[in-house]
Amino acid sequence: MASLAETRKMEGLRTRLTALRRMLASMAGLIGSDYATKEQAWEMLEGLFNPLAHALTATAITIVAWHNWHAYGSLASVPAAIIVIGTFAIRLAFVRRFHRRGPDARVSDWVRRFASSSFIAALGWGSSLSILLYTTEGATRFAVFALISAPIQGASARAYAMPGGVILHISIVLGMISVTATAFGVTVAIPLALLYLWYQVGFVSELFTFRTRMLKADHDNRALLG
């Protein structure tokens, strides 16, 4: 019995590792590209280009910057607001182009464009949040630490479509923030960031497995129905 239980544990571990390897291999493409139809691919891209998370993050960072000026008379946080608003403007430009795409548009081209816009967003969010960590104090800094989870969770919510890109996005944001926090004197920032990243990888991996199974089942049903 013990041997059977150990065997099942090892099989479960191998399954998880295989799913993780496939997920990370999807860095430059949509999930389940072998099974998804063209319509499903465009639907996934529609969700990926949704600017709501960017709008909320930009608003929150701008509010913190305004509060730092209003409460403490400091303009040191203004660059954070400028960066994140600029990042949001770039995302809106991508969204506008996506919605105006022609009938000959190719999914692969827009996957690459989304990857580029996601990379820009990660740099923008990481930079602006790092600036806030440096330029705020007291209770406001606690609010910044709470705010850090917002863009990360926003990215994770899109993991069903492009998990590899999500992990890269999260890694950039957490990396920039943890280095800044370490320089600021928070010596446990990098270990905590790695633990948080591992948690997000596990979460994204579960979404990846679930979504892939759904797409494969739908693909098999279409094949059976002819």
Side-chain angles (χ1 to χ4, degrees), residues 24-42:
L24 295 177
S26 68
M27 192 69 71
L30 292 173
I31 187 174
S33 56
D34 295 336
Y35 310 116
T37 64
K38 189 175 182 179
E39 290 74 17
Q40 288 173 326
W42 284 120

Side-chain angles (χ1 to χ4, degrees), residues 146-159:
L147 177 59
I148 288 170
S149 64
I152 294 173
Q153 293 305 125
S156 296
R158 290 164 171 74

